[in-house]
Amino acid sequence: MLWAGGMKLGTFEILLMFIHLSAACEFGPFPYRATGIVCRMTKPAALLLNQETAQVIQAAFRNARFPNITGERSMRLLGKVAYGLTNIQVNDLSIEKSEVELKENDAVHIAIKNVTAVFKGTLNYGYTGAWFLQLFHSVDFEIESSIDLQINVKLMCQKDQVAADASDCYLSFHKLTLHLQGDKEPGWLKQLFTDFISFTLKFVFKSEVCKEINSLAQMLAKFIQDLAENFVQDEDIKLDITLASDPLIKSNYLESHHKALVLYKNYSDVLTDSVFSPSLLTESRMLYFWLSEHILNSLASAAFLDKRLMLTIKGEELQVLFEMEDAEAQQKVVQMIFQDLSYNDSVAKVWSLAHPQISLQPEGTVVKSLVAVEVSAFPSGEEPLLLLYMEKEITVTIQAAYSEKKLILHPLDPRIEFKVIKCRADPSGNDPSVRNFLQTMISVAGIPKVTSRIETALTSLMNSKGLNLFDIINPEIITRKGYTIVQLDFNFPNHLLFDFLEKKM
């Protein structure tokens, strides 16, 4: 359970979500033992996301604030010549291509090739001649430029969270041409000021653009952190996604490790025996999530404590449950239980009596739970009647899938052990037909009904966090002893990031 304008999430944003370099965090000698969730993004995903890097660079140029540039120089015969460039703005920005490379155990190297931009502003200049003649002028200017950028994004751990450092940034100028008042022909004035200010312009552009890129990277790191925290929180239940160990930066993938401890009121959660190892994940898909069995057990416990494991069934739904078979013997039991009372006046309540136990196995997710069921009738003008009460221990294997933006849960091999059965129509409890009917009803209709409610609720929860905005391709949910792996390919849709940047800039 870890996720609108014209801008898409690009390389910067996704990299910041998945990795960091430990600069200020201590993880101890066995950090993997505290790992609850792992994210791995392979190089094909990085290459796909890099297509959107141009958007980030354009935002950096567009939002850079260039200071006024002033200078003075002594010229033979002309005396001192002073100049100032003001109101510098960027126009007509385009990027030819962007390339990304994962430098093992170092950083993410991003090369932006042939950024063409036109800088516009006003040139003010004046000089005092040898005969004390003072002249001052003001003209509009354009600067045509062609630039390559090299950015090494390093991600650090500060207070167990991701912090970005994109200060390792270089600009290489292939072209820097000054035009005055739209005059494209070379002249002594243009040549004079080009020689004067060329070096200063390069220095200022590099300083301001790189500073903006670094600021943007830091902002996006916090933005992604906030998005992730929101995604794994629902009301009072949330996951601690602080970092559990140093990341791995390999030539083919990036990987980050998170504690993912459940936080719920006074509930205490500790994980010290995680079975995670990088060898458990492959590199054939674009994105992987590894989840510990401990996390699912803790979430189930928190849901139980928060009184979420309760279900009410009435009316037509209740009728479908009790009349799922037309066999005469089954209908006699139903009539005996309800005694001609209307389904519309009846309510079934289902709840968990204890923390469910979850075990991840190759065949699926095994859920063992002690459940109570109470069926009551509320006839008009009369006191409520308790028709049926039972407690049972249910063990069922769940196979999960995700398709067409919906979570799908398949219950298999249910095993039911009755602990208590109380039926108003059979106070002695000696009628085997009641027990046989309940066994069939729970297996054939009850468990699928509860499972259907759960998958609908979880799908709705994930969609409320924005998962349905992602274009997820061929997702697979694979369970092994003690852990599960979600692996998938994806395309990225439009996202709210553009609006976020517009508000911040």
Side-chain angles (χ1 to χ4, degrees):
M1 293 186 295
L2 278 186
W3 321 218
M7 187 173 184
K8 301 180 182 179
L9 284 174
T11 300
F12 283 119
E13 302 94 301
I14 301 303
L15 299 181
L16 300 181
M17 183 168 61
F18 292 123
I19 67 172
H20 81 293
L21 291 178
S22 177
C25 304
E26 296 292 335
F27 298 113
F30 305 106
Y32 286 160
R33 292 184 180 179
T35 298
I37 292 179
V38 177
C39 304
R40 174 178 288 189
M41 184 176 69
T42 60
K43 191 169 183 179
L47 294 174
L48 171 67
L49 296 168
N50 185 61
Q51 297 174 8
E52 308 306 326
T53 299
Q55 301 284 357
V56 179
I57 301 303
Q58 287 174 349
F61 272 86
R62 185 174 63 249
N63 292 286
R65 298 294 181 260
F66 300 101
N68 295 337
I69 301 173
T70 60
E72 184 179 84
R73 186 172 178 180
S74 297
M75 296 292 294
R76 185 178 300 176
L77 300 179
L78 294 178
K80 290 184 177 181
V81 179
Y83 62 88
L85 280 75
T86 61
N87 303 320
I88 302 175
Q89 299 177 353
V90 181
N91 294 78
D92 302 326
L93 181 71
S94 65
I95 295 175
E96 183 176 289
K97 64 178 179 178
S98 174
E99 298 174 351
V100 63
E101 179 184 359
L102 308 182
K103 292 187 175 181
E104 190 159 334
N105 299 322
D106 184 16
V108 180
H109 176 72
I110 301 173
I112 314 296
K113 301 294 182 67
N114 195 19
V115 179
T116 59
V118 176
F119 298 88
K120 293 186 177 182
T122 302
L123 170 63
N124 302 291
Y125 67 94
Y127 57 91
T128 301
W131 298 279
F132 303 100
L133 176 63
Q134 295 183 349
L135 296 176
F136 296 94
H137 301 277
S138 178
V139 296
D140 293 333
F141 71 85
E142 289 185 355
I143 300 171
E144 294 182 8
S145 67
S146 177
I147 309 168
D148 286 350
L149 283 83
Q150 306 251 350
I151 308 165
N152 291 310
V153 183
K154 294 185 178 181
L155 301 155
M156 303 167 292
C157 180
Q158 294 180 355
K159 297 181 180 180
D160 294 330
Q161 295 185 345
V162 174
D165 180 7
S167 60
D168 190 0
C169 170
Y170 301 92
L171 272 65
S172 301
F173 288 82
H174 301 297
K175 178 181 179 181
L176 190 66
T177 306
L178 176 67
H179 301 296
L180 301 178
Q181 292 183 326
D183 178 16
K184 307 300 182 182
E185 296 299 324
W188 73 270
L189 187 61
K190 182 174 69 174
Q191 184 63 44
L192 173 66
F193 285 108
T194 298
D195 291 342
F196 276 5
I197 66 179
S198 177
F199 174 80
T200 305
L201 282 173
K202 291 178 181 179
F203 179 80
V204 169
F205 292 163
K206 174 190 180 303
S207 174
E208 296 304 316
V209 171
C210 286
K211 182 171 67 175
E212 187 63 32
I213 289 173
N214 193 30
S215 174
L216 188 60
Q218 294 173 4
M219 185 192 314
L220 289 171
K222 186 179 185 307
F223 177 61
I224 295 301
Q225 181 80 20
D226 292 343
L227 278 180
E229 288 179 352
N230 176 66
F231 192 85
V232 295
Q233 178 176 1
D234 183 51
E235 297 180 0
D236 290 335
I237 301 175
K238 62 181 179 179
L239 291 181
D240 171 15
I241 59 170
T242 55
L243 297 163
S245 67
D246 291 330
L248 293 177
I249 304 180
K250 299 294 185 180
S251 59
N252 292 326
Y253 65 85
L254 311 167
E255 186 170 282
S256 67
H257 318 95
H258 305 267
K259 296 175 183 177
L261 298 177
V262 173
L263 304 176
Y264 174 75
K265 296 183 178 179
N266 295 327
Y267 176 80
S268 179
D269 191 19
V270 178
L271 175 60
T272 59
D273 58 352
S274 175
V275 299
F276 174 74
S277 168
S279 62
L280 297 177
L281 301 178
T282 65
E283 303 171 24
S284 59
R285 305 298 299 276
M286 294 172 69
L287 189 61
Y288 295 81
F289 294 99
W290 182 96
L291 292 87
S292 168
E293 176 183 280
H294 176 89
I295 301 305
L296 299 182
N297 266 309
S298 297
L299 285 171
S301 295
F304 170 78
L305 294 173
D306 204 43
K307 302 185 184 302
R308 299 193 184 196
L309 303 183
M310 305 178 69
L311 179 65
T312 299
I313 305 173
K314 56 186 178 181
E316 293 182 0
E317 284 188 303
L318 188 61
Q319 183 176 1
V320 170
L321 283 178
F322 278 91
E323 296 183 357
M324 74 286 185
E325 293 189 14
D326 293 331
E328 183 178 350
Q330 303 288 358
Q331 290 306 308
K332 286 183 178 180
V333 174
V334 173
Q335 292 173 5
M336 182 176 68
I337 293 174
F338 283 88
Q339 298 179 343
D340 297 327
L341 293 169
S342 171
Y343 288 110
N344 291 329
D345 297 329
S346 303
V347 175
K349 294 182 179 180
V350 184
W351 69 95
S352 183
L353 293 168
H355 297 199
Q357 300 176 20
I358 296 177
S359 173
L360 295 173
Q361 303 293 335
E363 58 269 22
T365 302
V366 181
V367 181
K368 185 176 182 180
S369 182
L370 183 61
V371 178
V373 177
E374 179 182 275
V375 181
S376 301
F378 300 85
S380 179
E382 300 181 24
E383 291 293 321
L385 300 175
L386 179 62
L387 305 181
L388 177 67
Y389 176 82
M390 56 182 166
E391 296 177 3
K392 55 195 184 296
E393 186 177 82
I394 298 178
T395 303
V396 60
T397 300
I398 305 291
Q399 291 184 345
Y402 187 82
S403 178
E404 297 181 352
K405 303 187 184 299
K406 294 180 181 179
L407 179 66
I408 301 170
L409 302 177
H410 296 288
L412 304 171
D413 189 28
R415 298 185 294 277
I416 302 169
E417 180 183 349
F418 288 100
K419 302 293 186 180
V420 176
I421 296 181
K422 296 179 181 179
C423 182
R424 181 172 179 271
D426 179 30
S428 66
N430 295 326
D431 191 340
S433 63
V434 174
R435 183 180 292 264
N436 292 336
F437 166 74
L438 293 176
Q439 180 87 22
T440 302
M441 183 198 71
I442 294 168
S443 300
V444 175
I447 292 176
K449 170 60 70 175
V450 172
T451 302
S452 175
R453 286 283 190 92
I454 292 174
E455 70 179 17
T456 299
L458 290 178
T459 297
S460 177
L461 175 61
M462 292 187 294
N463 287 344
S464 72
K465 304 296 184 178
L467 186 64
N468 57 333
L469 300 178
F470 291 71
D471 186 10
I472 298 175
I473 303 170
N474 190 26
E476 297 178 87
I477 302 175
I478 302 169
T479 54
R480 295 290 184 262
K481 184 173 178 57
Y483 64 90
T484 186
I485 297 172
V486 180
Q487 56 188 38
L488 54 96
D489 298 322
F490 66 93
N491 284 319
F492 238 97
N494 289 338
H495 199 269
L496 295 175
L497 179 63
F498 182 78
D499 290 341
F500 171 81
L501 288 174
E502 288 298 309
K503 292 177 182 177
K504 292 293 182 179
M505 295 303 181

